Amino acid sequence: MINRKDWPALMIGVMATLAGIGIARFAYTPLLPAIIQEGWFTASQGAYLGAANLLGYFIGALCAHALSERFSSRLVIGASFAAIALSFMLCAGAGSFFWFFLWRLVSGIAGAILMVVGPSLALAATPPERRASVGAMVFTGIGLGALLSASVVPVLLELSLTATWATLGLLCIAAGLVSDAFLRQGVTPLAPPLAASPTANSQKGYAGIKLVVLLVIGAYALDAIGFVPHTVFWVDYLARENALGNHAASLQWGIFGLGALCGPFMVGALAQRLGWQSGLMIAFAAKAAAVLLPVFSLALLSQSVSSFMVGAMIPGIVALTSGRLAELVGPTAHKKLWGQATAAFAAAQAVAGYAMSALYGTWGSYTPLFAISGLILVVGFLLVLLSRGVQQRQAQLTAQQPTQHSSRHFTHHGKQ
């Protein structure tokens, strides 16, 4: 249950994820078939414009921590909302490929900054005992954005592409104003408890934690590859490649959005019942199966299960990874580490986006891309599994050290 005092921090986080990925990224997916059909760009150019956002996300993730340390959170967050709104409004008419590429890049940069700074501020401003529920709820903004784009974009496209781009820009301004209203209430990180730095006796354990962290971040980077087909190509894959039409594809994007809205609630319950680590393993397994499903069947039920589960596990894995890292290193170190994790995610995502756009240009089909991403997610699951084994092994070694020390101490006094 969310405490009333947590609402300002939670809403800042929700608005950040709503605009950062929910609108800046996901609103482009249902726009893609219309952009191609209206003749603004070719299918290949449209795919590369989707990848431009992924490249921007990588750049933004690298800059986010440094910017938040140099400038106030309110300034960084406000400027990011403004940049995303501008990126939509300045693409409201047909233009050159370079112009659209530039502004899709800007939306990616600003989106990544929001995704690092917003959730980290929300977590740091929440008392430890309520961090699990708030940490998961923050990412409902991703689902809200996807659901909003699924419901609003098809209606607006009946008017025009220009009206659609402009309205999405206005939605970002509205989200920014809501966020700023809560930021003005003075949401700030709580004072961290005093903690000793690792001593000589705990250096081995500290190194073990670092290895666990690296494995979790590695899995998160692989998740980025599984993230690409559904978030960039899914609607176009259904609407054009499989000739199901825009309405059927928009329905699936709506189911995807519903899943993305439910995902944080699902993983929040999972984390509270089983812990962050086990929840993360289950999420990777579920997402791998859901991404692979369209390769074997495109029946309505298969489409819907795939849409819902991938939608749910996108914010789900983000929330679980964020919570798992906070569990490993504490909320104080979380923002810097979460920025690094987001950068690793963004780098893998950008490379995957461009590689998959190139492969689509070569193969002329999206189907193999789903197979590749599903298998990569299986490898991600194995890395999370391995991280659990490393941590358990480290815990055993740490538990044995006092026993060995006591034994030596007893022997020494026995000789006296």
mmCIF file of all heavy atoms in Angstrom, residues 8 11-20 23 73-86 114 148 167-184:
data_model
loop_
_atom_site.group_PDB
_atom_site.id
_atom_site.type_symbol
_atom_site.label_atom_id
_atom_site.label_comp_id
_atom_site.label_asym_id
_atom_site.label_seq_id
_atom_site.Cartn_x
_atom_site.Cartn_y
_atom_site.Cartn_z
ATOM 1 N N PRO A 8 4.099 12.443 -3.757
ATOM 2 C CA PRO A 8 4.906 13.370 -4.565
ATOM 3 C C PRO A 8 6.081 12.675 -5.263
ATOM 4 O O PRO A 8 6.281 12.833 -6.474
ATOM 5 C CB PRO A 8 5.395 14.406 -3.540
ATOM 6 C CG PRO A 8 4.340 14.389 -2.491
ATOM 7 C CD PRO A 8 3.912 12.952 -2.386
ATOM 8 N N MET A 11 4.768 10.234 -8.019
ATOM 9 C CA MET A 11 4.250 10.887 -9.214
ATOM 10 C C MET A 11 5.364 11.477 -10.077
ATOM 11 O O MET A 11 5.270 11.483 -11.304
ATOM 12 C CB MET A 11 3.236 11.968 -8.832
ATOM 13 C CG MET A 11 1.919 11.422 -8.302
ATOM 14 S SD MET A 11 1.132 10.235 -9.438
ATOM 15 C CE MET A 11 0.762 11.298 -10.836
ATOM 16 N N ILE A 12 6.429 11.959 -9.434
ATOM 17 C CA ILE A 12 7.583 12.430 -10.211
ATOM 18 C C ILE A 12 8.165 11.275 -11.018
ATOM 19 O O ILE A 12 8.463 11.407 -12.204
ATOM 20 C CB ILE A 12 8.648 13.045 -9.276
ATOM 21 C CG1 ILE A 12 8.140 14.373 -8.707
ATOM 22 C CG2 ILE A 12 9.969 13.267 -10.023
ATOM 23 C CD1 ILE A 12 8.944 14.869 -7.521
ATOM 24 N N GLY A 13 8.311 10.114 -10.362
ATOM 25 C CA GLY A 13 8.827 8.933 -11.052
ATOM 26 C C GLY A 13 7.903 8.453 -12.156
ATOM 27 O O GLY A 13 8.347 8.110 -13.256
ATOM 28 N N VAL A 14 6.597 8.430 -11.884
ATOM 29 C CA VAL A 14 5.620 7.961 -12.881
ATOM 30 C C VAL A 14 5.609 8.876 -14.108
ATOM 31 O O VAL A 14 5.603 8.408 -15.248
ATOM 32 C CB VAL A 14 4.209 7.871 -12.258
ATOM 33 C CG1 VAL A 14 3.145 7.664 -13.339
ATOM 34 C CG2 VAL A 14 4.136 6.722 -11.258
ATOM 35 N N MET A 15 5.593 10.189 -13.886
ATOM 36 C CA MET A 15 5.592 11.132 -15.019
ATOM 37 C C MET A 15 6.882 11.008 -15.830
ATOM 38 O O MET A 15 6.870 11.128 -17.062
ATOM 39 C CB MET A 15 5.417 12.575 -14.515
ATOM 40 C CG MET A 15 4.047 12.890 -13.950
ATOM 41 S SD MET A 15 2.687 12.674 -15.138
ATOM 42 C CE MET A 15 1.852 11.246 -14.437
ATOM 43 N N ALA A 16 8.005 10.762 -15.144
ATOM 44 C CA ALA A 16 9.285 10.602 -15.851
ATOM 45 C C ALA A 16 9.273 9.375 -16.750
ATOM 46 O O ALA A 16 9.686 9.437 -17.912
ATOM 47 C CB ALA A 16 10.430 10.511 -14.839
ATOM 48 N N THR A 17 8.763 8.244 -16.247
ATOM 49 C CA THR A 17 8.735 7.025 -17.071
ATOM 50 C C THR A 17 7.639 7.108 -18.136
ATOM 51 O O THR A 17 7.780 6.539 -19.214
ATOM 52 C CB THR A 17 8.532 5.765 -16.199
ATOM 53 O OG1 THR A 17 7.311 5.870 -15.460
ATOM 54 C CG2 THR A 17 9.686 5.588 -15.220
ATOM 55 N N LEU A 18 6.560 7.850 -17.839
ATOM 56 C CA LEU A 18 5.494 8.053 -18.826
ATOM 57 C C LEU A 18 6.034 8.757 -20.067
ATOM 58 O O LEU A 18 5.819 8.307 -21.198
ATOM 59 C CB LEU A 18 4.373 8.889 -18.194
ATOM 60 C CG LEU A 18 3.306 9.479 -19.133
ATOM 61 C CD1 LEU A 18 2.461 8.377 -19.745
ATOM 62 C CD2 LEU A 18 2.418 10.465 -18.402
ATOM 63 N N ALA A 19 6.749 9.873 -19.847
ATOM 64 C CA ALA A 19 7.275 10.629 -20.980
ATOM 65 C C ALA A 19 8.546 9.994 -21.546
ATOM 66 O O ALA A 19 8.727 9.930 -22.763
ATOM 67 C CB ALA A 19 7.558 12.071 -20.563
ATOM 68 N N GLY A 20 9.431 9.500 -20.642
ATOM 69 C CA GLY A 20 10.752 9.016 -21.055
ATOM 70 C C GLY A 20 10.720 7.840 -21.997
ATOM 71 O O GLY A 20 11.475 7.788 -22.974
ATOM 72 N N ILE A 23 5.910 7.688 -23.885
ATOM 73 C CA ILE A 23 5.547 8.529 -25.030
ATOM 74 C C ILE A 23 6.722 8.674 -25.999
ATOM 75 O O ILE A 23 6.575 8.435 -27.193
ATOM 76 C CB ILE A 23 5.044 9.909 -24.556
ATOM 77 C CG1 ILE A 23 3.748 9.751 -23.751
ATOM 78 C CG2 ILE A 23 4.799 10.836 -25.746
ATOM 79 C CD1 ILE A 23 3.197 11.044 -23.173
ATOM 80 N N SER A 73 17.751 18.735 -9.729
ATOM 81 C CA SER A 73 16.876 17.722 -10.327
ATOM 82 C C SER A 73 15.715 18.375 -11.065
ATOM 83 O O SER A 73 15.323 17.920 -12.148
ATOM 84 C CB SER A 73 16.330 16.790 -9.236
ATOM 85 O OG SER A 73 17.362 16.057 -8.659
ATOM 86 N N ARG A 74 15.185 19.465 -10.502
ATOM 87 C CA ARG A 74 14.048 20.138 -11.131
ATOM 88 C C ARG A 74 14.426 20.677 -12.512
ATOM 89 O O ARG A 74 13.658 20.545 -13.474
ATOM 90 C CB ARG A 74 13.552 21.270 -10.229
ATOM 91 C CG ARG A 74 12.272 21.912 -10.753
ATOM 92 C CD ARG A 74 11.806 23.073 -9.878
ATOM 93 N NE ARG A 74 10.654 23.719 -10.472
ATOM 94 C CZ ARG A 74 10.188 24.895 -10.109
ATOM 95 N NH1 ARG A 74 10.767 25.556 -9.113
ATOM 96 N NH2 ARG A 74 9.138 25.420 -10.716
ATOM 97 N N LEU A 75 15.617 21.267 -12.625
ATOM 98 C CA LEU A 75 16.067 21.814 -13.904
ATOM 99 C C LEU A 75 16.295 20.702 -14.927
ATOM 100 O O LEU A 75 15.851 20.798 -16.080
ATOM 101 C CB LEU A 75 17.355 22.616 -13.710
ATOM 102 C CG LEU A 75 17.980 23.217 -14.986
ATOM 103 C CD1 LEU A 75 17.019 24.202 -15.638
ATOM 104 C CD2 LEU A 75 19.306 23.893 -14.662
ATOM 105 N N VAL A 76 16.977 19.640 -14.515
ATOM 106 C CA VAL A 76 17.283 18.531 -15.431
ATOM 107 C C VAL A 76 16.002 17.856 -15.912
ATOM 108 O O VAL A 76 15.820 17.597 -17.112
ATOM 109 C CB VAL A 76 18.206 17.499 -14.738
ATOM 110 C CG1 VAL A 76 18.356 16.243 -15.583
ATOM 111 C CG2 VAL A 76 19.572 18.116 -14.463
ATOM 112 N N ILE A 77 15.084 17.584 -14.974
ATOM 113 C CA ILE A 77 13.837 16.915 -15.325
ATOM 114 C C ILE A 77 12.961 17.822 -16.202
ATOM 115 O O ILE A 77 12.425 17.382 -17.232
ATOM 116 C CB ILE A 77 13.081 16.483 -14.048
ATOM 117 C CG1 ILE A 77 13.825 15.323 -13.374
ATOM 118 C CG2 ILE A 77 11.647 16.077 -14.358
ATOM 119 C CD1 ILE A 77 13.296 14.938 -12.003
ATOM 120 N N GLY A 78 12.863 19.104 -15.845
ATOM 121 C CA GLY A 78 12.050 20.044 -16.631
ATOM 122 C C GLY A 78 12.567 20.204 -18.053
ATOM 123 O O GLY A 78 11.787 20.211 -19.020
ATOM 124 N N ALA A 79 13.890 20.329 -18.205
ATOM 125 C CA ALA A 79 14.484 20.479 -19.539
ATOM 126 C C ALA A 79 14.247 19.230 -20.387
ATOM 127 O O ALA A 79 14.013 19.323 -21.604
ATOM 128 C CB ALA A 79 15.985 20.758 -19.412
ATOM 129 N N SER A 80 14.265 18.068 -19.749
ATOM 130 C CA SER A 80 14.045 16.814 -20.483
ATOM 131 C C SER A 80 12.610 16.713 -20.985
ATOM 132 O O SER A 80 12.369 16.315 -22.136
ATOM 133 C CB SER A 80 14.380 15.618 -19.585
ATOM 134 O OG SER A 80 15.732 15.654 -19.192
ATOM 135 N N PHE A 81 11.640 17.070 -20.155
ATOM 136 C CA PHE A 81 10.243 17.092 -20.596
ATOM 137 C C PHE A 81 10.067 18.054 -21.782
ATOM 138 O O PHE A 81 9.394 17.722 -22.764
ATOM 139 C CB PHE A 81 9.319 17.526 -19.452
ATOM 140 C CG PHE A 81 8.909 16.418 -18.532
ATOM 141 C CD1 PHE A 81 9.390 16.353 -17.232
ATOM 142 C CD2 PHE A 81 8.015 15.434 -18.961
ATOM 143 C CE1 PHE A 81 9.007 15.325 -16.376
ATOM 144 C CE2 PHE A 81 7.633 14.401 -18.105
ATOM 145 C CZ PHE A 81 8.124 14.351 -16.810
ATOM 146 N N ALA A 82 10.674 19.229 -21.688
ATOM 147 C CA ALA A 82 10.557 20.227 -22.752
ATOM 148 C C ALA A 82 11.159 19.709 -24.065
ATOM 149 O O ALA A 82 10.598 19.922 -25.152
ATOM 150 C CB ALA A 82 11.245 21.520 -22.324
ATOM 151 N N ALA A 83 12.297 19.017 -23.956
ATOM 152 C CA ALA A 83 12.963 18.496 -25.159
ATOM 153 C C ALA A 83 12.108 17.442 -25.863
ATOM 154 O O ALA A 83 12.012 17.421 -27.096
ATOM 155 C CB ALA A 83 14.325 17.912 -24.785
ATOM 156 N N ILE A 84 11.473 16.567 -25.088
ATOM 157 C CA ILE A 84 10.622 15.531 -25.688
ATOM 158 C C ILE A 84 9.403 16.175 -26.357
ATOM 159 O O ILE A 84 9.031 15.814 -27.483
ATOM 160 C CB ILE A 84 10.181 14.494 -24.637
ATOM 161 C CG1 ILE A 84 11.391 13.717 -24.121
ATOM 162 C CG2 ILE A 84 9.161 13.515 -25.240
ATOM 163 C CD1 ILE A 84 11.096 12.826 -22.928
ATOM 164 N N ALA A 85 8.786 17.157 -25.679
ATOM 165 C CA ALA A 85 7.635 17.848 -26.261
ATOM 166 C C ALA A 85 8.018 18.528 -27.571
ATOM 167 O O ALA A 85 7.300 18.423 -28.578
ATOM 168 C CB ALA A 85 7.099 18.875 -25.264
ATOM 169 N N LEU A 86 9.173 19.214 -27.574
ATOM 170 C CA LEU A 86 9.656 19.875 -28.798
ATOM 171 C C LEU A 86 9.893 18.872 -29.917
ATOM 172 O O LEU A 86 9.574 19.132 -31.080
ATOM 173 C CB LEU A 86 10.969 20.600 -28.499
ATOM 174 C CG LEU A 86 10.913 22.108 -28.218
ATOM 175 C CD1 LEU A 86 12.318 22.618 -27.941
ATOM 176 C CD2 LEU A 86 10.298 22.855 -29.386
ATOM 177 N N LEU A 114 15.369 11.222 -18.111
ATOM 178 C CA LEU A 114 14.195 11.077 -17.248
ATOM 179 C C LEU A 114 14.156 9.700 -16.596
ATOM 180 O O LEU A 114 13.811 9.564 -15.419
ATOM 181 C CB LEU A 114 12.905 11.302 -18.046
ATOM 182 C CG LEU A 114 12.566 12.741 -18.426
ATOM 183 C CD1 LEU A 114 11.260 12.778 -19.223
ATOM 184 C CD2 LEU A 114 12.436 13.630 -17.192
ATOM 185 N N LEU A 148 -1.820 4.899 -23.487
ATOM 186 C CA LEU A 148 -2.256 6.186 -24.013
ATOM 187 C C LEU A 148 -2.005 6.274 -25.518
ATOM 188 O O LEU A 148 -2.892 6.672 -26.292
ATOM 189 C CB LEU A 148 -1.488 7.302 -23.292
ATOM 190 C CG LEU A 148 -2.088 8.692 -23.236
ATOM 191 C CD1 LEU A 148 -3.442 8.659 -22.531
ATOM 192 C CD2 LEU A 148 -1.146 9.642 -22.494
ATOM 193 N N THR A 167 -0.289 16.537 -30.810
ATOM 194 C CA THR A 167 -0.989 16.160 -29.573
ATOM 195 C C THR A 167 -0.065 15.411 -28.621
ATOM 196 O O THR A 167 -0.114 15.614 -27.397
ATOM 197 C CB THR A 167 -2.227 15.307 -29.895
ATOM 198 O OG1 THR A 167 -3.062 16.025 -30.795
ATOM 199 C CG2 THR A 167 -3.012 14.969 -28.639
ATOM 200 N N LEU A 168 0.791 14.549 -29.155
ATOM 201 C CA LEU A 168 1.745 13.834 -28.304
ATOM 202 C C LEU A 168 2.703 14.808 -27.621
ATOM 203 O O LEU A 168 3.081 14.624 -26.458
ATOM 204 C CB LEU A 168 2.519 12.800 -29.133
ATOM 205 C CG LEU A 168 1.681 11.607 -29.621
ATOM 206 C CD1 LEU A 168 2.448 10.797 -30.660
ATOM 207 C CD2 LEU A 168 1.273 10.709 -28.457
ATOM 208 N N GLY A 169 3.071 15.860 -28.336
ATOM 209 C CA GLY A 169 3.899 16.900 -27.731
ATOM 210 C C GLY A 169 3.185 17.597 -26.583
ATOM 211 O O GLY A 169 3.778 17.849 -25.529
ATOM 212 N N LEU A 170 1.894 17.873 -26.765
ATOM 213 C CA LEU A 170 1.097 18.507 -25.710
ATOM 214 C C LEU A 170 0.970 17.594 -24.489
ATOM 215 O O LEU A 170 0.990 18.062 -23.343
ATOM 216 C CB LEU A 170 -0.295 18.867 -26.245
ATOM 217 C CG LEU A 170 -0.344 20.014 -27.265
ATOM 218 C CD1 LEU A 170 -1.753 20.148 -27.841
ATOM 219 C CD2 LEU A 170 0.094 21.334 -26.627
ATOM 220 N N LEU A 171 0.843 16.278 -24.723
ATOM 221 C CA LEU A 171 0.768 15.320 -23.612
ATOM 222 C C LEU A 171 2.055 15.344 -22.790
ATOM 223 O O LEU A 171 2.023 15.241 -21.561
ATOM 224 C CB LEU A 171 0.504 13.906 -24.141
ATOM 225 C CG LEU A 171 -0.915 13.613 -24.635
ATOM 226 C CD1 LEU A 171 -0.970 12.232 -25.288
ATOM 227 C CD2 LEU A 171 -1.910 13.681 -23.482
ATOM 228 N N CYS A 172 3.198 15.491 -23.464
ATOM 229 C CA CYS A 172 4.484 15.572 -22.751
ATOM 230 C C CYS A 172 4.559 16.844 -21.912
ATOM 231 O O CYS A 172 5.082 16.821 -20.787
ATOM 232 C CB CYS A 172 5.643 15.549 -23.741
ATOM 233 S SG CYS A 172 5.957 13.920 -24.423
ATOM 234 N N ILE A 173 4.032 17.949 -22.456
ATOM 235 C CA ILE A 173 4.014 19.193 -21.682
ATOM 236 C C ILE A 173 3.153 19.019 -20.437
ATOM 237 O O ILE A 173 3.534 19.436 -19.330
ATOM 238 C CB ILE A 173 3.487 20.357 -22.554
ATOM 239 C CG1 ILE A 173 4.504 20.698 -23.646
ATOM 240 C CG2 ILE A 173 3.199 21.588 -21.694
ATOM 241 C CD1 ILE A 173 4.020 21.713 -24.653
ATOM 242 N N ALA A 174 1.988 18.380 -20.591
ATOM 243 C CA ALA A 174 1.096 18.140 -19.448
ATOM 244 C C ALA A 174 1.779 17.297 -18.380
ATOM 245 O O ALA A 174 1.720 17.604 -17.181
ATOM 246 C CB ALA A 174 -0.187 17.458 -19.921
ATOM 247 N N ALA A 175 2.477 16.216 -18.814
ATOM 248 C CA ALA A 175 3.197 15.357 -17.862
ATOM 249 C C ALA A 175 4.293 16.141 -17.153
ATOM 250 O O ALA A 175 4.514 15.983 -15.943
ATOM 251 C CB ALA A 175 3.795 14.150 -18.595
ATOM 252 N N GLY A 176 4.980 17.022 -17.894
ATOM 253 C CA GLY A 176 6.037 17.838 -17.302
ATOM 254 C C GLY A 176 5.504 18.804 -16.260
ATOM 255 O O GLY A 176 6.128 19.011 -15.213
ATOM 256 N N LEU A 177 4.341 19.379 -16.522
ATOM 257 C CA LEU A 177 3.736 20.308 -15.563
ATOM 258 C C LEU A 177 3.312 19.592 -14.284
ATOM 259 O O LEU A 177 3.473 20.128 -13.177
ATOM 260 C CB LEU A 177 2.529 21.007 -16.205
ATOM 261 C CG LEU A 177 2.865 22.013 -17.326
ATOM 262 C CD1 LEU A 177 1.592 22.512 -18.003
ATOM 263 C CD2 LEU A 177 3.677 23.184 -16.788
ATOM 264 N N VAL A 178 2.769 18.377 -14.433
ATOM 265 C CA VAL A 178 2.396 17.579 -13.251
ATOM 266 C C VAL A 178 3.644 17.270 -12.421
ATOM 267 O O VAL A 178 3.659 17.433 -11.193
ATOM 268 C CB VAL A 178 1.679 16.270 -13.664
ATOM 269 C CG1 VAL A 178 1.497 15.354 -12.458
ATOM 270 C CG2 VAL A 178 0.330 16.569 -14.301
ATOM 271 N N SER A 179 4.712 16.840 -13.103
ATOM 272 C CA SER A 179 5.961 16.521 -12.415
ATOM 273 C C SER A 179 6.509 17.747 -11.684
ATOM 274 O O SER A 179 6.929 17.666 -10.524
ATOM 275 C CB SER A 179 6.989 16.006 -13.427
ATOM 276 O OG SER A 179 8.246 15.801 -12.821
ATOM 277 N N ASP A 180 6.482 18.898 -12.355
ATOM 278 C CA ASP A 180 7.035 20.109 -11.760
ATOM 279 C C ASP A 180 6.229 20.557 -10.532
ATOM 280 O O ASP A 180 6.794 21.070 -9.561
ATOM 281 C CB ASP A 180 7.082 21.232 -12.798
ATOM 282 C CG ASP A 180 7.973 22.378 -12.351
ATOM 283 O OD1 ASP A 180 9.187 22.149 -12.194
ATOM 284 O OD2 ASP A 180 7.453 23.483 -12.137
ATOM 285 N N ALA A 181 4.918 20.338 -10.584
ATOM 286 C CA ALA A 181 4.067 20.695 -9.435
ATOM 287 C C ALA A 181 4.487 19.922 -8.192
ATOM 288 O O ALA A 181 4.538 20.465 -7.081
ATOM 289 C CB ALA A 181 2.604 20.413 -9.763
ATOM 290 N N PHE A 182 4.845 18.653 -8.376
ATOM 291 C CA PHE A 182 5.293 17.844 -7.235
ATOM 292 C C PHE A 182 6.736 18.170 -6.845
ATOM 293 O O PHE A 182 7.090 18.133 -5.666
ATOM 294 C CB PHE A 182 5.138 16.355 -7.545
ATOM 295 C CG PHE A 182 3.713 15.878 -7.496
ATOM 296 C CD1 PHE A 182 3.021 15.576 -8.662
ATOM 297 C CD2 PHE A 182 3.040 15.758 -6.284
ATOM 298 C CE1 PHE A 182 1.697 15.153 -8.613
ATOM 299 C CE2 PHE A 182 1.720 15.341 -6.233
ATOM 300 C CZ PHE A 182 1.047 15.032 -7.401
ATOM 301 N N LEU A 183 7.577 18.497 -7.839
ATOM 302 C CA LEU A 183 8.953 18.874 -7.526
ATOM 303 C C LEU A 183 9.005 20.152 -6.691
ATOM 304 O O LEU A 183 9.884 20.317 -5.840
ATOM 305 C CB LEU A 183 9.746 19.076 -8.827
ATOM 306 C CG LEU A 183 10.299 17.800 -9.477
ATOM 307 C CD1 LEU A 183 10.721 18.068 -10.911
ATOM 308 C CD2 LEU A 183 11.480 17.261 -8.674
ATOM 309 N N ARG A 184 8.051 21.057 -6.921
ATOM 310 C CA ARG A 184 8.011 22.308 -6.158
ATOM 311 C C ARG A 184 7.672 22.075 -4.688
ATOM 312 O O ARG A 184 7.882 22.949 -3.846
ATOM 313 C CB ARG A 184 6.986 23.281 -6.774
ATOM 314 C CG ARG A 184 7.462 23.928 -8.059
ATOM 315 C CD ARG A 184 6.688 25.212 -8.347
ATOM 316 N NE ARG A 184 5.243 24.999 -8.394
ATOM 317 C CZ ARG A 184 4.556 24.688 -9.493
ATOM 318 N NH1 ARG A 184 5.210 24.550 -10.649
ATOM 319 N NH2 ARG A 184 3.258 24.514 -9.454
#
